[in-house]
Amino acid sequence: MALPKYDQIAGDLRGRIVRGELTAGEVLPSERELTERWKVSRATVVKALDVLRGEGLVETRQGTGSTVRERIPLARTAGERYATSVATGAVYTAGEYAEIVSAATVPAPQDVATALDVEADAPVVRRVRVTFEGETPTATSVSWFTAEVAEAAPRLLLRERVREGTTRYVEMQTGRRPRTGRDWWTARLATADERALLRLGDGPAAVAEVRHLAYDADGLALAYEVGVSPAGRWSRTEEYALGN
Protein backbone atom coordinates (compact mmCIF):
# COMPACT_ATOMS: atom_id res chain seq x y z
CA MET A 1 0.00 0.00 0.00
CA ALA A 2 1.38 3.39 -1.03
CA LEU A 3 2.10 5.93 1.69
CA PRO A 4 -0.11 9.04 1.87
CA LYS A 5 1.27 11.89 -0.22
CA TYR A 6 2.19 14.01 2.79
CA ASP A 7 4.24 11.08 4.14
CA GLN A 8 5.98 10.69 0.77
CA ILE A 9 6.87 14.38 0.72
CA ALA A 10 8.10 14.31 4.33
CA GLY A 11 10.12 11.16 3.61
CA ASP A 12 11.78 12.71 0.56
CA LEU A 13 12.79 15.86 2.45
CA ARG A 14 13.82 13.86 5.53
CA GLY A 15 16.12 11.72 3.43
CA ARG A 16 17.77 14.77 1.87
CA ILE A 17 18.35 16.26 5.33
CA VAL A 18 19.77 13.06 6.82
CA ARG A 19 22.07 12.53 3.82
CA GLY A 20 23.36 16.09 4.11
CA GLU A 21 21.93 17.29 0.81
CA LEU A 22 20.02 19.93 2.78
CA THR A 23 22.19 21.36 5.54
CA ALA A 24 21.52 23.39 8.70
CA GLY A 25 20.14 26.83 7.87
CA GLU A 26 19.30 25.94 4.28
CA VAL A 27 15.85 26.93 3.05
CA LEU A 28 13.56 24.11 1.91
CA PRO A 29 11.69 24.35 -1.38
CA SER A 30 8.71 26.69 -0.99
CA GLU A 31 5.20 25.42 -0.42
CA ARG A 32 4.34 26.47 -3.98
CA GLU A 33 7.31 24.54 -5.40
CA LEU A 34 6.40 21.43 -3.44
CA THR A 35 2.74 21.75 -4.44
CA GLU A 36 3.65 21.91 -8.13
CA ARG A 37 6.31 19.19 -7.96
CA TRP A 38 4.13 16.66 -6.14
CA LYS A 39 0.84 17.78 -7.75
CA VAL A 40 -0.92 18.05 -4.41
CA SER A 41 -2.85 20.68 -2.48
CA ARG A 42 -1.16 23.23 -0.23
CA ALA A 43 -2.82 21.55 2.77
CA THR A 44 -0.95 18.32 1.95
CA VAL A 45 2.38 20.15 1.79
CA VAL A 46 1.66 21.93 5.08
CA LYS A 47 0.93 18.56 6.71
CA ALA A 48 4.24 17.17 5.44
CA LEU A 49 6.13 20.14 6.88
CA ASP A 50 4.27 19.71 10.17
CA VAL A 51 5.64 16.15 10.34
CA LEU A 52 9.21 17.41 9.88
CA ARG A 53 8.71 20.17 12.45
CA GLY A 54 7.42 17.58 14.91
CA GLU A 55 10.61 15.55 14.37
CA GLY A 56 12.74 18.62 15.06
CA LEU A 57 14.24 18.63 11.56
CA VAL A 58 12.92 21.96 10.29
CA GLU A 59 11.62 25.26 11.61
CA THR A 60 9.31 27.74 9.91
CA ARG A 61 9.47 31.52 10.31
CA GLN A 62 7.25 34.18 8.86
CA GLY A 63 8.78 35.59 5.70
CA THR A 64 11.63 33.08 5.38
CA GLY A 65 9.79 29.80 4.87
CA SER A 66 11.00 26.49 6.32
CA THR A 67 14.69 25.94 7.03
CA VAL A 68 16.72 22.97 8.22
CA ARG A 69 17.40 23.12 11.95
CA GLU A 70 20.82 22.72 13.53
CA ARG A 71 20.83 19.19 14.94
CA ILE A 72 22.12 19.21 18.51
CA PRO A 73 23.83 15.90 19.36
CA LEU A 74 21.62 14.32 22.00
CA ALA A 75 21.94 11.31 24.27
CA ARG A 76 18.42 9.96 24.80
CA THR A 77 17.53 7.71 27.70
CA ALA A 78 15.59 4.45 27.45
CA GLY A 79 12.61 6.21 29.02
CA GLU A 80 12.70 8.95 26.38
CA ARG A 81 12.90 6.37 23.59
CA TYR A 82 9.85 4.58 25.05
CA ALA A 83 7.91 7.86 25.00
CA THR A 84 8.91 8.35 21.35
CA SER A 85 7.71 4.84 20.52
CA VAL A 86 4.33 5.40 22.16
CA ALA A 87 3.90 8.70 20.29
CA THR A 88 5.15 7.63 16.85
CA GLY A 89 5.24 3.81 16.73
CA ALA A 90 9.02 3.83 16.20
CA VAL A 91 11.69 4.06 18.87
CA TYR A 92 14.19 6.06 16.82
CA THR A 93 13.92 9.47 15.19
CA ALA A 94 14.89 10.40 11.64
CA GLY A 95 18.42 9.32 10.75
CA GLU A 96 18.77 7.03 13.77
CA TYR A 97 18.98 3.25 13.73
CA ALA A 98 20.43 0.46 15.87
CA GLU A 99 22.60 -2.59 15.25
CA ILE A 100 22.07 -5.50 17.63
CA VAL A 101 25.50 -6.79 18.66
CA SER A 102 24.26 -9.78 20.66
CA ALA A 103 21.12 -11.27 22.21
CA ALA A 104 21.43 -14.25 24.52
CA THR A 105 20.44 -15.84 27.82
CA VAL A 106 23.18 -15.45 30.44
CA PRO A 107 23.54 -15.78 34.24
CA ALA A 108 22.49 -12.55 35.98
CA PRO A 109 25.39 -10.46 37.37
CA GLN A 110 24.79 -9.14 40.87
CA ASP A 111 23.71 -5.61 39.82
CA VAL A 112 21.27 -7.04 37.27
CA ALA A 113 19.89 -9.53 39.80
CA THR A 114 19.31 -6.70 42.26
CA ALA A 115 17.65 -4.49 39.64
CA LEU A 116 15.33 -7.21 38.32
CA ASP A 117 14.74 -8.79 41.75
CA VAL A 118 15.99 -12.25 40.79
CA GLU A 119 18.63 -14.52 42.26
CA ALA A 120 22.25 -13.93 41.28
CA ASP A 121 23.18 -16.15 38.32
CA ALA A 122 19.49 -16.72 37.46
CA PRO A 123 18.95 -16.89 33.68
CA VAL A 124 18.23 -13.46 32.17
CA VAL A 125 18.23 -12.08 28.63
CA ARG A 126 21.03 -9.68 27.68
CA ARG A 127 20.72 -7.53 24.53
CA VAL A 128 23.63 -5.34 23.40
CA ARG A 129 23.05 -2.66 20.77
CA VAL A 130 24.84 0.27 19.19
CA THR A 131 22.78 3.26 18.09
CA PHE A 132 23.86 5.24 15.04
CA GLU A 133 22.97 8.59 13.55
CA GLY A 134 23.97 8.24 9.93
CA GLU A 135 27.37 6.55 10.06
CA THR A 136 28.27 7.82 13.54
CA PRO A 137 27.79 5.62 16.63
CA THR A 138 26.06 7.75 19.23
CA ALA A 139 25.44 5.30 22.08
CA THR A 140 25.76 1.70 23.16
CA SER A 141 23.44 0.02 25.62
CA VAL A 142 22.81 -3.29 27.35
CA SER A 143 19.21 -4.23 28.13
CA TRP A 144 18.28 -6.96 30.61
CA PHE A 145 15.02 -8.89 31.02
CA THR A 146 13.89 -11.75 33.23
CA ALA A 147 13.36 -15.24 31.78
CA GLU A 148 9.63 -14.84 32.45
CA VAL A 149 9.46 -11.70 30.30
CA ALA A 150 11.57 -13.30 27.57
CA GLU A 151 9.23 -16.30 27.39
CA ALA A 152 6.36 -13.97 26.55
CA ALA A 153 8.50 -11.77 24.27
CA PRO A 154 10.67 -14.17 22.21
CA ARG A 155 12.00 -11.52 19.81
CA LEU A 156 14.24 -10.32 22.64
CA LEU A 157 16.48 -13.30 21.87
CA LEU A 158 16.82 -12.49 18.18
CA ARG A 159 19.62 -10.35 16.78
CA GLU A 160 17.21 -8.10 14.95
CA ARG A 161 15.87 -4.63 15.54
CA VAL A 162 12.61 -4.21 17.40
CA ARG A 163 11.11 -1.25 15.57
CA GLU A 164 8.86 -0.20 18.42
CA GLY A 165 11.62 -0.59 21.02
CA THR A 166 12.09 -3.42 23.48
CA THR A 167 10.16 -1.87 26.39
CA ARG A 168 7.17 -1.11 24.18
CA TYR A 169 7.39 -4.59 22.67
CA VAL A 170 7.45 -6.19 26.13
CA GLU A 171 4.42 -4.12 27.11
CA MET A 172 2.48 -5.33 24.07
CA GLN A 173 3.45 -8.97 24.64
CA THR A 174 2.90 -9.15 28.38
CA GLY A 175 0.22 -6.51 29.00
CA ARG A 176 2.45 -5.03 31.70
CA ARG A 177 2.57 -1.30 31.05
CA PRO A 178 5.53 0.73 32.34
CA ARG A 179 4.20 3.02 35.04
CA THR A 180 7.34 4.60 36.52
CA GLY A 181 11.01 4.85 35.62
CA ARG A 182 14.15 5.53 37.60
CA ASP A 183 17.46 6.74 36.16
CA TRP A 184 20.94 6.94 37.69
CA TRP A 185 23.59 9.10 35.99
CA THR A 186 27.37 9.15 36.16
CA ALA A 187 30.43 10.03 34.10
CA ARG A 188 33.44 7.75 33.80
CA LEU A 189 36.05 6.41 31.40
CA ALA A 190 34.94 4.03 28.66
CA THR A 191 35.85 0.36 28.85
CA ALA A 192 37.82 -1.23 26.02
CA ASP A 193 34.63 -2.79 24.60
CA GLU A 194 32.81 0.54 24.72
CA ARG A 195 35.69 2.33 23.00
CA ALA A 196 35.54 -0.22 20.20
CA LEU A 197 31.75 -0.07 19.79
CA LEU A 198 31.69 3.74 19.86
CA ARG A 199 34.88 4.10 17.75
CA LEU A 200 36.61 6.22 20.37
CA GLY A 201 40.16 5.08 19.66
CA ASP A 202 42.67 3.42 21.96
CA GLY A 203 43.30 6.17 24.53
CA PRO A 204 41.22 7.12 27.58
CA ALA A 205 37.80 8.47 26.61
CA ALA A 206 35.11 9.99 28.82
CA VAL A 207 31.54 8.69 28.55
CA ALA A 208 28.24 9.32 30.30
CA GLU A 209 26.41 6.33 31.76
CA VAL A 210 22.73 6.16 32.66
CA ARG A 211 21.13 3.16 34.32
CA HIS A 212 17.39 2.95 33.69
CA LEU A 213 14.77 0.81 35.40
CA ALA A 214 11.16 0.62 34.19
CA TYR A 215 8.52 -0.57 36.68
CA ASP A 216 5.00 -1.80 35.96
CA ALA A 217 1.82 -0.80 37.81
CA ASP A 218 2.58 -3.34 40.57
CA GLY A 219 6.04 -1.86 41.16
CA LEU A 220 7.78 -4.87 39.57
CA ALA A 221 10.85 -4.34 37.39
CA LEU A 222 10.00 -4.71 33.71
CA ALA A 223 13.30 -3.81 32.03
CA TYR A 224 16.78 -2.72 33.09
CA GLU A 225 19.17 -0.90 30.77
CA VAL A 226 22.68 0.50 31.03
CA GLY A 227 23.29 3.10 28.32
CA VAL A 228 26.63 4.72 27.48
CA SER A 229 27.18 7.75 25.24
CA PRO A 230 30.40 9.58 24.34
CA ALA A 231 31.31 12.95 25.79
CA GLY A 232 29.94 15.96 23.95
CA ARG A 233 26.37 14.73 23.60
CA TRP A 234 23.79 16.64 25.64
CA SER A 235 21.76 14.36 27.87
CA ARG A 236 19.20 16.75 29.32
CA THR A 237 18.42 20.39 29.98
CA GLU A 238 16.36 21.90 32.75
CA GLU A 239 14.75 25.30 33.20
CA TYR A 240 13.85 26.57 36.66
CA ALA A 241 13.12 29.78 38.56
CA LEU A 242 15.94 31.65 40.31
CA GLY A 243 14.43 33.88 42.98
CA ASN A 244 10.98 35.42 43.11
Side-chain angles (χ1 to χ4, degrees):
M1 181 182 296
L3 290 173
K5 278 290 186 180
Y6 78 88
D7 247 345
Q8 295 180 41
I9 298 169
D12 178 70
L13 293 171
R14 183 188 299 113
R16 293 171 65 185
I17 293 169
V18 170
R19 292 191 299 270
E21 297 170 12
L22 293 170
T23 58
E26 191 167 348
V27 179
L28 270 62
S30 68
E31 291 179 5
R32 175 177 293 181
E33 290 175 300
L34 292 170
T35 297
E36 293 175 353
R37 176 187 170 191
W38 289 88
K39 296 180 173 54
V40 295
S41 68
R42 179 178 175 275
T44 298
V45 170
V46 169
K47 190 171 183 179
L49 295 175
D50 283 343
V51 170
L52 297 178
R53 277 192 292 271
E55 294 176 352
L57 293 178
V58 305
E59 58 186 354
T60 303
R61 295 179 181 174
Q62 188 72 28
T64 61
S66 296
T67 59
V68 179
R69 290 185 61 182
E70 184 72 41
R71 301 187 72 186
I72 299 173
L74 298 175
R76 297 192 303 137
T77 67
E80 291 166 336
R81 292 199 308 273
Y82 170 78
T84 298
S85 177
V86 171
T88 68
V91 70
Y92 294 113
T93 57
E96 286 187 308
Y97 65 95
E99 290 185 0
I100 309 304
V101 177
S102 64
T105 299
V106 299
Q110 185 60 61
D111 67 308
V112 175
T114 300
L116 295 180
D117 195 23
V118 298
E119 295 292 329
D121 294 327
V124 292
V125 170
R126 177 179 186 264
R127 284 175 63 87
V128 181
R129 73 178 65 79
V130 179
T131 303
F132 291 83
E133 187 171 317
E135 298 298 317
T136 303
T138 60
T140 181
S141 56
V142 184
S143 297
W144 303 86
F145 306 89
T146 64
E148 177 185 8
V149 166
E151 184 176 358
R155 288 169 59 197
L156 294 175
L157 279 165
L158 301 179
R159 281 189 58 188
E160 61 180 35
R161 303 175 197 171
V162 178
R163 183 178 183 276
E164 64 272 29
T166 51
T167 303
R168 178 67 167 160
Y169 167 60
V170 166
E171 174 189 351
M172 293 188 295
Q173 292 295 112
T174 65
R176 295 169 60 190
R177 184 173 187 178
R179 180 62 61 86
T180 58
R182 181 180 297 171
D183 293 342
W184 295 263
W185 301 81
T186 190
R188 58 174 174 77
L189 293 179
T191 66
D193 286 345
E194 290 163 352
R195 290 199 306 270
L197 291 172
L198 295 173
R199 303 175 188 170
L200 298 177
D202 296 328
V207 293
E209 176 188 291
V210 57
R211 300 192 174 204
H212 169 81
L213 254 173
Y215 298 93
D216 65 15
D218 295 322
L220 301 176
L222 192 60
Y224 175 53
E225 178 177 306
V226 180
V228 174
S229 56
R233 302 193 73 83
W234 295 98
S235 56
R236 65 171 56 183
T237 59
E238 294 182 8
E239 185 173 330
Y240 47 88
L242 291 173
N244 297 327

